[in-house]
Amino acid sequence: MTTEERQLPESLERLNANLAKLDELSKRLVAALSRKKPPEPALEAPSSELFMKAAAAYVAGMMSNPAKILEHQVSYWGKSLKHYLEAQQRLLQGKLEIEDEEEEEELRRREDRRFQGELWHKHPYFNYLRQQYLLNTVAVENAIADMQGLDPKERKRVEYFTRQILEMFNPANFLGTNPEALQRAIETEGESLVRGLENLVRDIEANEGDLLVTLADKDAFRVGENLATTDGEVVYRNRMFELIQYTPRTETVHKTPLIIFPPWINKFYILDLKPENSLIRWIVDQGYTLFVVSWKNPDPSYADVGLDTYIEEGYMTAIREVKAITGEEQVNAVGYCIAGTTLALTLALMHKRGDKSIRSATFFTTLTDFEDQGEFAVFLTDDFVDGIEREVKREGILRAFYMARTFSFLRSTDLVYAPAIRSYMLGETPPAFDLLYWNGDGTNLPARMTIEYLRWLCQENRFAKGELEILGEKLSIRDVHVPLCAVACETDHIAGWKASYNGIRQMGSRSKTFILSESGHIAGIVNPPTKRKYGHYLNPELHETPEEWLAHAQFHEGSWWPDWEKWLARRSGRMIPARQPGDAGHPTLGKAPGSYVLARSAEQGEH
């Protein structure tokens, strides 16, 4: 018997074993899917009203300008027929490229990394599928672009959800039309499909019947072991947060302490992933007494926690405790994203009360004027917010699952489909990527706070209008008077830099500094000087429009951290002997990163 003859039964045996595993996994999959709770329909898709408006606009366009509709149809069918015939000719001639270079260039602009594989371009069948899908995409996008009679906000929503439908029907998302997945299945004798189904079942089981793609290897990281390792101590704890004071790494420190309020939508260790990219460690190395708030991951018992609770039991309490520990009358404060928004509310409240405890404030990627809601605006209409309100009234919290899914679909190619293809169709283990691990370590949101934030700030923009009533005071964006520095990010899809700039410009502070970092919501902030990866823009004139500000700004290579630290140092007092964590009235309660950050949403009553 030849070697090939001996190998054939072995291959068939492995294939049959893998088929048996697939049968077992399929049973587990059905069981996992059966645990899915009936969803709140409004959180699954936009209301039918949106589609009716789009259909009405299309019909109105067809009635008023039928030639335009015919032009679209004729153009699409003509290109499709031409593409089919040319594909046959090229196949006979052994050529695959589209001969019309302008048309090919237009198609390539719409390609994403799902089409990077060689077979998408060299195999006649899959190359045809790729090109026809891209032609379909162009046709749909052109039809939407020429649609008349839609409100600008509705148009934006139609464009967004149309793009989601197009992304979903990409042929790379389906096993039968993905050449890389099929090739991998053949090469591994079905093993890749087994591993892929195992990954799929694991993710559905982890989310009680819902699907959320795991983006990073969960076994590769441990918070407090290889993430969030900067030395420090928990020096205070209440039901809202743990206060961490970091151990000094210099002999002297600035007299005025610094406190960072991270967003409670995610966990604080985005600022302390690894020593080489840790903003927390870097700040300590510059000679500051640094405190960081680690928020509690709420369970349903926190249903009645609102923005006022975060201000009173969070911000005001943390500032009071830092002052008590250090013996200082003032602190400097940093707020990141939603925590920056709430820091601005706190500053306005303190101004109304005559409280001068904050010497200066820094805002990272912060919105305070929500007139321009950026890409997130598609989820801030009544159909979605009404659904969220029903959900949180029933559950007491907005589960981390919903936030993670929503943010993922803002970048669906990178955070949904490409990872799903690698995991479920190619059978690969998710990468050991610290940032993606943090991204998947989400938190729940209290019911009352969620609705107040969405209604009062996002939808009604009360703070910018001077109509926000909290803790007995009417607050306005113009009530923020402390010296401030704001850092926004050029490609931020959550807190657009122009909207951030417009909010800062309206504040009542006489001293304002605005820094625009390259990159996005996370990479633009977690941008250490050693990397020299992303630069930043500076312009002291904040009376201009955002576009004018950027046109007149000076570009600086590398991280914004050193420029910000120079700004902060001027507002942090003289150097004094370094302070050790805690004091007689604040005994240490445990090592950083504390216990609150370790609680995952599944342990907090997420399901």
Side-chain angles (χ1 to χ4, degrees), residues 587-606:
T588 59
L589 305 176
K591 294 286 186 183
S595 59
Y596 281 3
V597 74
L598 301 179
R600 298 186 68 86
S601 291
E603 302 165 6
Q604 293 289 330
E606 180 176 344

Side-chain angles (χ1 to χ4, degrees), residues 211-315:
L211 177 60
L212 189 64
V213 184
T214 297
L215 299 177
D217 184 354
K218 293 182 178 180
D219 296 325
F221 300 102
R222 293 287 183 274
V223 177
E225 295 179 17
N226 56 1
L227 297 175
T229 59
T230 302
D231 289 336
E233 301 281 347
V234 177
V235 293
Y236 177 83
R237 179 186 294 124
N238 66 11
R239 70 168 183 148
M240 294 298 296
F241 70 93
E242 289 181 326
L243 183 65
I244 301 169
Q245 183 178 358
Y246 285 90
T247 305
R249 294 167 58 85
T250 54
E251 292 185 3
T252 59
V253 294
H254 287 276
K255 192 171 185 291
T256 304
L258 177 66
I259 179 170
I260 295 179
F261 294 97
W264 52 88
I265 289 176
N266 292 103
K267 296 182 178 178
F268 82 89
Y269 66 87
I270 185 60
L271 301 176
D272 191 28
L273 289 173
K274 295 178 292 190
E276 56 267 31
N277 66 356
S278 168
L279 178 59
I280 286 174
R281 181 182 289 257
W282 186 85
I283 290 172
V284 175
D285 283 340
Q286 308 314 303
Y288 292 88
T289 301
L290 178 63
F291 295 82
V292 173
V293 164
S294 174
W295 299 104
K296 176 75 171 180
N297 189 1
D299 60 30
S301 69
Y302 283 68
D304 198 43
V305 164
L307 286 171
D308 55 351
T309 319
Y310 275 91
I311 291 172
E312 198 162 37
E313 296 184 37
Y315 288 74

Side-chain angles (χ1 to χ4, degrees), residues 18-33 193-194 197-198 200-201:
N18 286 329
L19 289 173
K21 289 179 184 177
L22 288 174
D23 183 57
E24 294 174 11
L25 286 167
S26 297
K27 293 175 182 176
R28 275 180 58 193
L29 177 62
V30 171
L33 289 171
L193 298 180
V194 173
L197 189 54
E198 286 175 341
L200 176 63
V201 171

Side-chain angles (χ1 to χ4, degrees), residues 440-476:
D441 189 10
T443 57
N444 305 318
L445 298 179
R448 182 161 71 89
M449 171 264 143
T450 300
I451 297 307
E452 289 173 353
Y453 178 77
L454 293 175
R455 297 289 193 201
W456 296 355
L457 296 174
C458 296
Q459 285 192 319
E460 299 168 11
N461 204 16
R462 292 188 190 182
F463 188 47
K465 295 176 180 177
E467 300 171 354
L468 182 63
E469 293 188 22
I470 288 182
L471 295 169
E473 300 285 356
K474 183 175 283 190
L475 307 181
S476 167

